[in-house]
Amino acid sequence: MGYFGTEKEIIFDKPVLPEKKTDIETVKNRIKELDHMDVDQIRGHVIFYATLAMGDSSITEVSRFAYSTFMEKNMVMKEFAPGLQRIEQEVKQMAREMIGLNNQTRVKLTEGGSESLFCSINSAYQWSKIHKKGIEKPEIVVPYTMHAAVSKWCHYTDFTLKRVPVRSDYRADVKAMEKAITKNTIYIAGSAPCWPYGLYDPIEEIAELAVKNNIWMHVDACLGGYQAPFIEKASGKKFPAWRIGQVPGVLSMSADIHKHGYAAKPLSSIFYRDKDILQYHVYNPSDWPDGKYSSESLLGSFPASSVASAWAVMNHLGVEGYLELAHRTLRVREKYINGINAIKGLKAWDTDIGVLLFETEDMDTMAVLSGLIQERCYAIPCYQPMRIKIALDPVSDAVVENFLETLERVVKGVKAGTITSEFLTRFM
Ligand SMILES: Cc1ncc(COP(=O)(O)O)c(C=O)c1O
């Protein structure tokens, strides 16, 4: 599971389901204890996208209120729930406004970035069956850095996946992608930015390739979709063009609301260029006893609570709040980069957005990572090239300071030989 691979199975020697009922207080206390086990295990930076680490409990408060209020509702059963329908429509419209998309763009909600990517490949396949001739075995062409979810989809469906090596600056190599295209290619994509390095691919160039070869083009903005627009406003800098509706040839784009929209999980969004393109996403089977079954995306039951959480957080923050968080993110970024570079033997990487990475010189990177995790500061590895990664969130100063202090201590320990990678290997 996760980025280290372990999943410890507990062998139970007696039944876990109680024979008799348990009173509410006992259940609540046990839940609190279990929650504390996690909090004691991991603190500080980075519990990914946890609003509590941002030091502003009001976001968590509105999110929890909306989440628990809508907890028993299912998006699949929204037909007779006018309140829920209103929430859904407003979330979709706010999503468009946050990213700055035109009203032709159609939106569907999904239960995470992986599902959004699955939807994009499926839509591309449905589109290709009509718009391309003679596909024998579908192939998809993506930069090596595209999220692992595309590998999962190709594994499930037996589509051929071509991950094309990136350039020396770690961004998509469009010429090499062109060479990988065949008549079976149904999907081509780039990230804005990619999860491994937080770097934007040259989306416009990939889209030109898509148009030239009549291939569906997807932009994976799961990580940056809701962060970039506000960072662009706060910093005055522009990222390479990435938005659907603004880059010709882009037919779909994914962006996770449970990342920098700061809503509760699971919630992502997939955008289609217009109504005509949306039709390749929609599938409402009726070949079973219960007639038409119409769900939002690939999956069935879908918690209304995360959509309600998004509505609450988006309303609570508004443009003003998201902009404030973007300013804070930029300050956090600077503090991290300066703090990391000030530690002898470490060098921060210049990522675009979303994540921060740093490399180590003359010391075992895995030992540094191990020391951080042992000190309850969560970070993850990037293996190609070997780097340590943290999410770039608008966390509080206390979180940044704790991380940097811990990192300095850990580096000293690794250099002195008192910290090794031994702790981490137990999780691998
Ligand atoms: C660029 C990118 N795409 C897709 C995903 C998958 O999202 P999820 O974990 O919500 O399935 C992620 C997650 O980090 C991501 O960063």
Side-chain angles (χ1 to χ4, degrees):
M1 288 290 284
Y3 285 89
F4 298 102
T6 40
E7 188 165 12
K8 279 199 199 112
E9 198 185 338
I10 305 174
I11 310 291
F12 297 102
D13 51 10
K14 51 183 191 236
V16 179
L17 179 68
E19 210 45 63
K20 297 252 186 283
K21 292 174 170 179
T22 310
D23 65 275
I24 291 181
E25 275 319 303
T26 310
V27 172
K28 278 186 174 171
N29 286 337
R30 183 65 185 136
I31 281 287
K32 279 188 209 151
E33 274 169 33
L34 291 164
D35 181 39
H36 269 262
M37 280 166 70
D38 297 346
V39 176
D40 288 348
Q41 181 74 29
I42 299 169
R43 73 174 147 81
H45 213 284
V46 101
I47 310 162
F48 285 86
Y49 316 109
T51 51
L52 274 177
M54 287 157 37
D56 176 357
S57 58
S58 68
I59 303 172
T60 312
E61 188 183 330
V62 282
S63 177
R64 282 189 179 168
F65 178 77
Y67 196 92
S68 56
T69 306
F70 277 78
M71 195 183 69
E72 278 148 54
K73 297 183 189 165
N74 186 345
M75 295 298 288
V76 175
M77 310 290 186
K78 67 185 179 202
E79 279 153 320
F80 303 108
L84 185 53
Q85 282 181 34
R86 180 84 200 184
I87 280 190
E88 183 198 4
Q89 296 298 318
E90 288 192 8
V91 164
K92 287 179 171 174
Q93 180 56 22
M94 287 190 279
R96 268 196 291 254
E97 290 171 15
M98 281 172 74
I99 302 182
L101 303 177
N102 64 41
N103 281 338
Q104 261 84 54
T105 322
R106 300 290 94 199
V107 197
K108 286 285 183 182
L109 299 177
T110 72
E111 296 180 48
S114 301
E115 192 192 348
S116 291
L117 285 173
F118 298 161
C119 288
S120 70
I121 306 174
N122 175 56
S123 301
Y125 180 48
Q126 303 309 328
W127 179 88
S128 301
K129 284 196 280 190
I130 293 168
H131 293 90
K132 289 177 80 78
K133 295 273 169 296
I135 297 163
E136 282 150 19
K137 189 170 187 287
E139 292 176 4
I140 79 172
V141 173
V142 298
Y144 185 58
T145 46
M146 187 98 185
H147 192 271
V150 296
S151 302
K152 290 176 76 177
W153 179 261
C154 291
H155 173 77
Y156 301 148
T157 58
D158 265 342
F159 285 12
T160 300
L161 173 60
K162 292 185 174 171
R163 284 187 178 271
V164 179
V166 290
R167 301 184 313 215
S168 58
D169 65 356
Y170 300 101
R171 299 176 199 266
D173 183 338
V174 184
K175 286 204 181 89
M177 286 174 79
E178 182 161 27
K179 287 194 192 126
I181 291 172
T182 69
K183 70 175 180 46
N184 284 320
T185 309
I186 57 133
Y187 178 93
I188 189 167
S191 305
C194 69
W195 172 250
Y197 310 137
L199 295 173
Y200 279 73
D201 287 322
I203 299 297
E204 282 177 307
E205 287 174 47
I206 304 174
E208 271 175 35
L209 198 59
V211 172
K212 195 169 121 194
N213 291 280
N214 188 34
I215 301 170
W216 180 287
M217 161 82 186
H218 179 76
V219 173
D220 181 10
C222 282
L223 180 57
Y226 291 97
Q227 191 177 42
F230 296 99
I231 295 282
E232 284 180 333
K233 273 190 203 132
S235 66
K237 285 195 203 132
K238 286 262 171 282
F239 294 112
W242 55 278
R243 289 172 175 82
I244 192 167
Q246 288 160 357
V247 180
V250 175
L251 299 189
S252 60
M253 181 180 95
S254 48
D256 289 356
I257 308 179
H258 66 206
K259 290 193 169 75
H260 300 287
Y262 306 112
K265 290 170 197 59
L267 194 62
S268 174
S269 48
I270 175 152
F271 299 89
Y272 292 97
R273 192 185 61 191
D274 51 42
K275 212 160 125 255
D276 282 348
I277 295 300
L278 173 73
Q279 64 176 301
Y280 301 100
H281 170 104
V282 179
Y283 177 56
N284 300 325
S286 55
D287 55 343
W288 71 320
D290 283 10
K292 185 167 158 184
Y293 180 74
S294 146
S295 62
E296 177 79 1
S297 294
L298 280 189
L299 305 182
S301 287
F302 184 151
S305 14
S306 51
V307 186
S309 154
W311 186 95
V313 173
M314 286 171 173
N315 274 282
H316 177 57
L317 287 173
V319 175
E320 184 188 15
Y322 280 108
L323 206 50
E324 274 171 22
L325 290 177
H327 279 289
R328 203 198 299 171
T329 304
L330 290 168
R331 286 198 299 276
V332 164
R333 181 179 194 275
E334 205 182 320
K335 277 186 183 205
Y336 270 126
I337 290 179
N338 292 340
I340 289 166
N341 287 336
I343 302 173
K344 208 161 172 290
L346 300 186
K347 191 165 174 297
W349 237 25
D350 200 11
T351 61
D352 288 331
I353 197 180
V355 288
L356 275 176
L357 285 87
F358 57 93
E359 61 191 288
T360 65
E361 271 168 14
D362 303 328
M363 71 187 110
D364 179 1
T365 311
M366 287 310 266
V368 176
L369 185 59
S370 182
L372 282 172
I373 291 177
Q374 200 166 0
E375 293 269 353
R376 296 153 48 202
C377 284
Y378 189 61
I380 59 174
C382 169
Y383 294 101
Q384 297 168 331
M386 194 67 223
R387 300 282 185 271
I388 293 176
K389 174 158 62 179
I390 55 173
L392 178 59
D393 288 324
V395 290
S396 66
D397 288 349
V399 170
V400 180
E401 277 152 27
N402 171 55
F403 184 84
L404 291 173
E405 276 165 28
T406 310
L407 183 58
E408 192 169 11
R409 209 165 352 101
V410 166
V411 165
K412 277 192 192 136
V414 172
K415 282 183 180 165
T418 52
I419 296 176
T420 66
S421 57
E422 198 273 323
F423 176 80
L424 197 54
T425 48
R426 286 184 232 154
F427 296 86
M428 299 179 93

